[in-house]
Amino acid sequence: MLATLPTPLRDRARCEWQQHRVVMLPLGGLFSAVRIPERLLTALSTSAEAACLDDFLAEALGGGPVICDLRFSRYYALVPASTPATLRQMAEEWRAMEVDCLGHGGYLGVPRLDAVNREHALASYWSVPMDSAAVMCTPLAVARLIAAGRHCADAEPEA
């Protein structure tokens, strides 16, 4: 993950991870992210419980890495760097659902690799831990997840 930073900034990032448990990393070089609101995912899951939602995401996205931002109830599926350009047309439609493709020029708060437990997280944690820096969520799996979430959310009766 630190390979996204120039060599002189990597030591500083390690210190930030140690002190704050999260570091801001640039997007669009080695990876990008798709921001998905929690409500869209809970519409798909059989349970809104965090552990169940984490398991659901691991299965739905084939084990691709996902970060959960607890403060804003958002999930970030990490995808190949080219994904925002590849999904540009769909991404325009997704904005109405508060889904966004984040890439070149953006930054993402990335938790330490050992932050895999929601109960011990300060601000974010790995909902689906990263197995390898070379393994990302596939854009097709993310697009299907969003489409299914939209369908289920649209089908829910108004409260």
Side-chain angles (χ1 to χ4, degrees), residues 83-127:
T83 299
T86 304
L87 299 179
R88 181 171 285 126
Q89 185 175 354
M90 282 188 279
E92 291 298 321
E93 296 172 19
W94 290 345
R95 284 203 178 93
M97 298 179 293
E98 298 177 40
V99 173
D100 203 1
C101 289
L102 309 171
H104 186 73
Y107 285 81
L108 179 65
V110 176
R112 288 174 23 167
L113 295 177
D114 63 352
V116 295
N117 189 320
R118 183 182 191 104
E119 287 77 35
H120 298 111
L122 297 176
S124 63
Y125 74 101
W126 289 94
S127 172

Short mmCIF file of all heavy atoms in Angstrom, two decimals, residues 83-127:
data_model
loop_
_atom_site.label_atom_id
_atom_site.label_comp_id
_atom_site.label_asym_id
_atom_site.label_seq_id
_atom_site.Cartn_x
_atom_site.Cartn_y
_atom_site.Cartn_z
N THR A 83 -10.33 1.67 -13.01
CA THR A 83 -11.78 1.49 -12.87
C THR A 83 -12.60 2.76 -13.04
O THR A 83 -13.60 2.74 -13.74
CB THR A 83 -12.11 0.80 -11.54
OG1 THR A 83 -11.47 -0.48 -11.54
CG2 THR A 83 -13.60 0.63 -11.35
N PRO A 84 -12.26 3.91 -12.43
CA PRO A 84 -13.11 5.09 -12.63
C PRO A 84 -13.31 5.44 -14.11
O PRO A 84 -14.41 5.79 -14.51
CB PRO A 84 -12.37 6.19 -11.88
CG PRO A 84 -11.66 5.45 -10.79
CD PRO A 84 -11.21 4.15 -11.46
N ALA A 85 -12.27 5.33 -14.92
CA ALA A 85 -12.41 5.62 -16.35
C ALA A 85 -13.25 4.56 -17.03
O ALA A 85 -14.09 4.86 -17.89
CB ALA A 85 -11.04 5.73 -17.00
N THR A 86 -13.07 3.31 -16.65
CA THR A 86 -13.80 2.20 -17.26
C THR A 86 -15.29 2.29 -16.97
O THR A 86 -16.11 2.01 -17.83
CB THR A 86 -13.25 0.85 -16.71
OG1 THR A 86 -11.85 0.79 -16.95
CG2 THR A 86 -13.93 -0.33 -17.35
N LEU A 87 -15.65 2.70 -15.78
CA LEU A 87 -17.06 2.73 -15.36
C LEU A 87 -17.66 4.13 -15.40
O LEU A 87 -18.67 4.38 -14.75
CB LEU A 87 -17.19 2.15 -13.95
CG LEU A 87 -16.77 0.70 -13.76
CD1 LEU A 87 -16.94 0.30 -12.30
CD2 LEU A 87 -17.54 -0.23 -14.67
N ARG A 88 -17.06 5.03 -16.15
CA ARG A 88 -17.46 6.44 -16.15
C ARG A 88 -18.97 6.63 -16.35
O ARG A 88 -19.62 7.36 -15.61
CB ARG A 88 -16.69 7.22 -17.20
CG ARG A 88 -17.08 8.71 -17.22
CD ARG A 88 -16.18 9.54 -18.10
NE ARG A 88 -14.90 9.70 -17.41
CZ ARG A 88 -13.72 9.39 -17.94
NH1 ARG A 88 -13.65 8.90 -19.14
NH2 ARG A 88 -12.62 9.58 -17.26
N GLN A 89 -19.56 5.96 -17.33
CA GLN A 89 -20.98 6.17 -17.61
C GLN A 89 -21.85 5.68 -16.45
O GLN A 89 -22.77 6.36 -16.02
CB GLN A 89 -21.39 5.46 -18.90
CG GLN A 89 -22.82 5.76 -19.29
CD GLN A 89 -23.18 5.15 -20.64
OE1 GLN A 89 -22.34 4.60 -21.33
NE2 GLN A 89 -24.44 5.25 -21.00
N MET A 90 -21.55 4.50 -15.93
CA MET A 90 -22.32 3.99 -14.79
C MET A 90 -22.12 4.87 -13.57
O MET A 90 -23.05 5.10 -12.81
CB MET A 90 -21.91 2.54 -14.47
CG MET A 90 -22.52 1.53 -15.40
SD MET A 90 -22.21 -0.15 -14.84
CE MET A 90 -20.55 -0.39 -15.43
N ALA A 91 -20.91 5.34 -13.39
CA ALA A 91 -20.60 6.16 -12.22
C ALA A 91 -21.46 7.42 -12.18
O ALA A 91 -21.85 7.87 -11.10
CB ALA A 91 -19.11 6.51 -12.19
N GLU A 92 -21.75 7.99 -13.34
CA GLU A 92 -22.62 9.17 -13.39
C GLU A 92 -24.01 8.84 -12.85
O GLU A 92 -24.60 9.61 -12.10
CB GLU A 92 -22.72 9.70 -14.82
CG GLU A 92 -21.43 10.32 -15.33
CD GLU A 92 -20.99 11.54 -14.53
OE1 GLU A 92 -21.84 12.35 -14.12
OE2 GLU A 92 -19.78 11.66 -14.30
N GLU A 93 -24.54 7.68 -13.21
CA GLU A 93 -25.86 7.26 -12.73
C GLU A 93 -25.83 6.93 -11.25
O GLU A 93 -26.81 7.13 -10.54
CB GLU A 93 -26.34 6.05 -13.53
CG GLU A 93 -26.55 6.33 -15.00
CD GLU A 93 -26.83 5.07 -15.80
OE1 GLU A 93 -27.21 4.03 -15.20
OE2 GLU A 93 -26.66 5.12 -17.02
N TRP A 94 -24.72 6.40 -10.78
CA TRP A 94 -24.60 5.98 -9.38
C TRP A 94 -24.60 7.15 -8.41
O TRP A 94 -24.94 6.98 -7.25
CB TRP A 94 -23.32 5.18 -9.19
CG TRP A 94 -23.32 3.83 -9.83
CD1 TRP A 94 -24.39 3.13 -10.30
CD2 TRP A 94 -22.18 3.01 -10.07
NE1 TRP A 94 -23.98 1.93 -10.81
CE2 TRP A 94 -22.63 1.83 -10.69
CE3 TRP A 94 -20.82 3.17 -9.82
CZ2 TRP A 94 -21.77 0.81 -11.05
CZ3 TRP A 94 -19.97 2.15 -10.19
CH2 TRP A 94 -20.43 0.98 -10.80
N ARG A 95 -24.21 8.33 -8.84
CA ARG A 95 -24.11 9.46 -7.92
C ARG A 95 -25.43 9.76 -7.23
O ARG A 95 -25.44 10.22 -6.09
CB ARG A 95 -23.58 10.69 -8.66
CG ARG A 95 -22.10 10.57 -8.90
CD ARG A 95 -21.42 11.91 -9.11
NE ARG A 95 -20.00 11.69 -9.29
CZ ARG A 95 -19.40 11.55 -10.46
NH1 ARG A 95 -20.10 11.62 -11.57
NH2 ARG A 95 -18.10 11.34 -10.53
N ALA A 96 -26.54 9.49 -7.88
CA ALA A 96 -27.84 9.70 -7.26
C ALA A 96 -28.04 8.80 -6.05
O ALA A 96 -28.84 9.10 -5.16
CB ALA A 96 -28.96 9.45 -8.28
N MET A 97 -27.30 7.69 -5.99
CA MET A 97 -27.38 6.76 -4.86
C MET A 97 -26.24 6.99 -3.87
O MET A 97 -26.01 6.19 -2.98
CB MET A 97 -27.30 5.31 -5.36
CG MET A 97 -28.42 4.91 -6.27
SD MET A 97 -28.22 3.20 -6.83
CE MET A 97 -26.75 3.32 -7.86
N GLU A 98 -25.49 8.07 -4.05
CA GLU A 98 -24.34 8.41 -3.21
C GLU A 98 -23.18 7.42 -3.37
O GLU A 98 -22.39 7.21 -2.46
CB GLU A 98 -24.74 8.54 -1.74
CG GLU A 98 -25.74 9.65 -1.50
CD GLU A 98 -26.18 9.74 -0.05
OE1 GLU A 98 -25.33 9.56 0.83
OE2 GLU A 98 -27.38 9.95 0.17
N VAL A 99 -23.12 6.78 -4.54
CA VAL A 99 -22.00 5.91 -4.89
C VAL A 99 -21.07 6.74 -5.76
O VAL A 99 -21.52 7.51 -6.61
CB VAL A 99 -22.49 4.67 -5.68
CG1 VAL A 99 -21.33 3.86 -6.21
CG2 VAL A 99 -23.41 3.82 -4.82
N ASP A 100 -19.77 6.60 -5.55
CA ASP A 100 -18.82 7.37 -6.34
C ASP A 100 -17.58 6.56 -6.63
O ASP A 100 -17.13 5.78 -5.79
CB ASP A 100 -18.44 8.66 -5.60
CG ASP A 100 -17.94 9.75 -6.52
OD1 ASP A 100 -17.90 9.55 -7.75
OD2 ASP A 100 -17.58 10.82 -6.01
N CYS A 101 -17.04 6.72 -7.83
CA CYS A 101 -15.77 6.10 -8.22
C CYS A 101 -14.68 7.12 -7.95
O CYS A 101 -14.69 8.21 -8.51
CB CYS A 101 -15.78 5.73 -9.69
SG CYS A 101 -16.84 4.35 -10.08
N LEU A 102 -13.75 6.76 -7.09
CA LEU A 102 -12.68 7.68 -6.69
C LEU A 102 -11.37 7.19 -7.29
O LEU A 102 -11.01 6.03 -7.13
CB LEU A 102 -12.59 7.70 -5.17
CG LEU A 102 -13.90 7.97 -4.43
CD1 LEU A 102 -13.72 7.75 -2.95
CD2 LEU A 102 -14.40 9.35 -4.73
N GLY A 103 -10.69 8.08 -7.98
CA GLY A 103 -9.43 7.70 -8.61
C GLY A 103 -8.42 8.81 -8.59
O GLY A 103 -8.28 9.52 -7.59
N HIS A 104 -7.72 8.97 -9.71
CA HIS A 104 -6.61 9.93 -9.82
C HIS A 104 -6.99 11.29 -9.26
O HIS A 104 -8.03 11.85 -9.58
CB HIS A 104 -6.19 10.05 -11.29
CG HIS A 104 -4.98 10.90 -11.46
ND1 HIS A 104 -3.73 10.48 -11.11
CD2 HIS A 104 -4.84 12.17 -11.94
CE1 HIS A 104 -2.86 11.45 -11.35
NE2 HIS A 104 -3.51 12.48 -11.86
N GLY A 105 -6.15 11.79 -8.38
CA GLY A 105 -6.38 13.09 -7.76
C GLY A 105 -7.09 12.99 -6.42
O GLY A 105 -7.18 13.97 -5.70
N GLY A 106 -7.60 11.80 -6.08
CA GLY A 106 -8.28 11.62 -4.81
C GLY A 106 -7.39 10.91 -3.79
O GLY A 106 -6.33 10.39 -4.14
N TYR A 107 -7.83 10.92 -2.57
CA TYR A 107 -7.12 10.25 -1.47
C TYR A 107 -8.12 9.42 -0.69
O TYR A 107 -9.31 9.73 -0.65
CB TYR A 107 -6.47 11.28 -0.53
CG TYR A 107 -5.24 11.91 -1.12
CD1 TYR A 107 -5.33 12.95 -2.03
CD2 TYR A 107 -3.97 11.43 -0.78
CE1 TYR A 107 -4.19 13.52 -2.58
CE2 TYR A 107 -2.84 11.99 -1.32
CZ TYR A 107 -2.95 13.04 -2.22
OH TYR A 107 -1.82 13.58 -2.77
N LEU A 108 -7.61 8.38 -0.04
CA LEU A 108 -8.45 7.52 0.78
C LEU A 108 -7.75 7.25 2.10
O LEU A 108 -6.55 6.96 2.12
CB LEU A 108 -8.71 6.19 0.06
CG LEU A 108 -9.57 5.17 0.80
CD1 LEU A 108 -11.00 5.69 1.00
CD2 LEU A 108 -9.61 3.85 0.04
N GLY A 109 -8.49 7.36 3.19
CA GLY A 109 -7.96 7.00 4.49
C GLY A 109 -7.90 5.48 4.60
O GLY A 109 -8.93 4.82 4.59
N VAL A 110 -6.69 4.94 4.67
CA VAL A 110 -6.50 3.49 4.68
C VAL A 110 -6.05 3.07 6.09
O VAL A 110 -5.03 3.55 6.58
CB VAL A 110 -5.45 3.07 3.62
CG1 VAL A 110 -5.17 1.58 3.70
CG2 VAL A 110 -5.94 3.47 2.22
N PRO A 111 -6.82 2.17 6.72
CA PRO A 111 -6.43 1.73 8.05
C PRO A 111 -5.21 0.81 8.01
O PRO A 111 -4.87 0.27 6.95
CB PRO A 111 -7.67 0.96 8.54
CG PRO A 111 -8.36 0.51 7.31
CD PRO A 111 -8.05 1.56 6.25
N ARG A 112 -4.59 0.65 9.15
CA ARG A 112 -3.49 -0.31 9.25
C ARG A 112 -3.99 -1.68 8.81
O ARG A 112 -5.17 -2.00 8.95
CB ARG A 112 -3.00 -0.41 10.70
CG ARG A 112 -2.24 0.81 11.13
CD ARG A 112 -1.86 0.83 12.58
NE ARG A 112 -1.79 -0.46 13.26
CZ ARG A 112 -1.23 -0.63 14.44
NH1 ARG A 112 -0.70 0.39 15.07
NH2 ARG A 112 -1.22 -1.81 15.01
N LEU A 113 -3.10 -2.48 8.29
CA LEU A 113 -3.49 -3.79 7.77
C LEU A 113 -4.01 -4.72 8.86
O LEU A 113 -4.74 -5.66 8.57
CB LEU A 113 -2.32 -4.43 7.02
CG LEU A 113 -1.91 -3.67 5.75
CD1 LEU A 113 -0.71 -4.34 5.10
CD2 LEU A 113 -3.06 -3.56 4.77
N ASP A 114 -3.67 -4.45 10.12
CA ASP A 114 -4.15 -5.29 11.20
C ASP A 114 -5.48 -4.79 11.80
O ASP A 114 -6.02 -5.39 12.72
CB ASP A 114 -3.11 -5.45 12.30
CG ASP A 114 -2.76 -4.13 12.99
OD1 ASP A 114 -3.21 -3.06 12.54
OD2 ASP A 114 -2.01 -4.17 13.98
N ALA A 115 -6.04 -3.73 11.26
CA ALA A 115 -7.32 -3.18 11.73
C ALA A 115 -8.46 -3.92 11.03
O ALA A 115 -9.04 -3.44 10.07
CB ALA A 115 -7.40 -1.68 11.46
N VAL A 116 -8.75 -5.12 11.52
CA VAL A 116 -9.74 -5.97 10.87
C VAL A 116 -10.95 -6.24 11.76
O VAL A 116 -11.80 -7.05 11.42
CB VAL A 116 -9.11 -7.32 10.43
CG1 VAL A 116 -8.05 -7.08 9.36
CG2 VAL A 116 -8.52 -8.06 11.61
N ASN A 117 -11.04 -5.56 12.88
CA ASN A 117 -12.12 -5.79 13.82
C ASN A 117 -12.87 -4.48 14.08
O ASN A 117 -12.30 -3.51 14.55
CB ASN A 117 -11.53 -6.34 15.13
CG ASN A 117 -12.59 -6.81 16.08
OD1 ASN A 117 -13.64 -6.18 16.23
ND2 ASN A 117 -12.32 -7.93 16.73
N ARG A 118 -14.15 -4.48 13.79
CA ARG A 118 -14.97 -3.29 13.95
C ARG A 118 -14.98 -2.78 15.40
O ARG A 118 -14.96 -1.58 15.64
CB ARG A 118 -16.40 -3.61 13.50
CG ARG A 118 -17.34 -2.42 13.56
CD ARG A 118 -18.75 -2.85 13.14
NE ARG A 118 -19.60 -1.71 12.96
CZ ARG A 118 -19.98 -1.21 11.79
NH1 ARG A 118 -19.57 -1.77 10.68
NH2 ARG A 118 -20.77 -0.16 11.72
N GLU A 119 -15.01 -3.69 16.36
CA GLU A 119 -15.09 -3.30 17.76
C GLU A 119 -13.86 -2.53 18.24
O GLU A 119 -13.95 -1.73 19.15
CB GLU A 119 -15.29 -4.53 18.66
CG GLU A 119 -16.70 -5.11 18.56
CD GLU A 119 -16.91 -5.92 17.29
OE1 GLU A 119 -15.97 -6.59 16.82
OE2 GLU A 119 -18.02 -5.86 16.74
N HIS A 120 -12.70 -2.78 17.63
CA HIS A 120 -11.48 -2.11 18.04
C HIS A 120 -11.10 -0.93 17.13
O HIS A 120 -10.08 -0.28 17.35
CB HIS A 120 -10.31 -3.11 18.10
CG HIS A 120 -10.55 -4.19 19.10
ND1 HIS A 120 -10.78 -5.48 18.74
CD2 HIS A 120 -10.65 -4.15 20.45
CE1 HIS A 120 -10.99 -6.22 19.82
NE2 HIS A 120 -10.92 -5.43 20.88
N ALA A 121 -11.91 -0.68 16.13
CA ALA A 121 -11.60 0.39 15.17
C ALA A 121 -11.94 1.76 15.74
O ALA A 121 -12.95 1.92 16.43
CB ALA A 121 -12.37 0.16 13.87
N LEU A 122 -11.10 2.73 15.43
CA LEU A 122 -11.38 4.11 15.85
C LEU A 122 -12.25 4.81 14.81
O LEU A 122 -13.26 5.41 15.14
CB LEU A 122 -10.07 4.87 16.03
CG LEU A 122 -9.15 4.35 17.13
CD1 LEU A 122 -7.84 5.13 17.13
CD2 LEU A 122 -9.83 4.43 18.48
N ALA A 123 -11.85 4.77 13.57
CA ALA A 123 -12.60 5.44 12.51
C ALA A 123 -12.91 4.52 11.34
O ALA A 123 -13.96 4.62 10.72
CB ALA A 123 -11.82 6.65 12.00
N SER A 124 -11.98 3.61 11.02
CA SER A 124 -12.20 2.70 9.91
C SER A 124 -11.49 1.38 10.18
O SER A 124 -10.61 1.29 11.04
CB SER A 124 -11.72 3.32 8.60
OG SER A 124 -10.32 3.55 8.64
N TYR A 125 -11.91 0.37 9.44
CA TYR A 125 -11.29 -0.95 9.56
C TYR A 125 -11.47 -1.69 8.22
O TYR A 125 -12.23 -1.26 7.36
CB TYR A 125 -11.91 -1.76 10.71
CG TYR A 125 -13.30 -2.28 10.42
CD1 TYR A 125 -13.49 -3.61 10.04
CD2 TYR A 125 -14.42 -1.46 10.50
CE1 TYR A 125 -14.77 -4.09 9.76
CE2 TYR A 125 -15.68 -1.93 10.22
CZ TYR A 125 -15.85 -3.25 9.86
OH TYR A 125 -17.10 -3.71 9.57
N TRP A 126 -10.76 -2.79 8.08
CA TRP A 126 -10.87 -3.62 6.88
C TRP A 126 -12.08 -4.53 7.03
O TRP A 126 -12.03 -5.52 7.75
CB TRP A 126 -9.61 -4.44 6.66
CG TRP A 126 -8.44 -3.61 6.25
CD1 TRP A 126 -7.48 -3.07 7.07
CD2 TRP A 126 -8.12 -3.20 4.92
NE1 TRP A 126 -6.58 -2.35 6.32
CE2 TRP A 126 -6.95 -2.41 4.99
CE3 TRP A 126 -8.70 -3.41 3.68
CZ2 TRP A 126 -6.36 -1.85 3.88
CZ3 TRP A 126 -8.10 -2.85 2.56
CH2 TRP A 126 -6.95 -2.08 2.67
N SER A 127 -13.17 -4.20 6.37
CA SER A 127 -14.36 -5.03 6.36
C SER A 127 -14.02 -6.37 5.71
O SER A 127 -14.44 -7.43 6.18
CB SER A 127 -15.46 -4.32 5.59
OG SER A 127 -16.58 -5.14 5.39
#
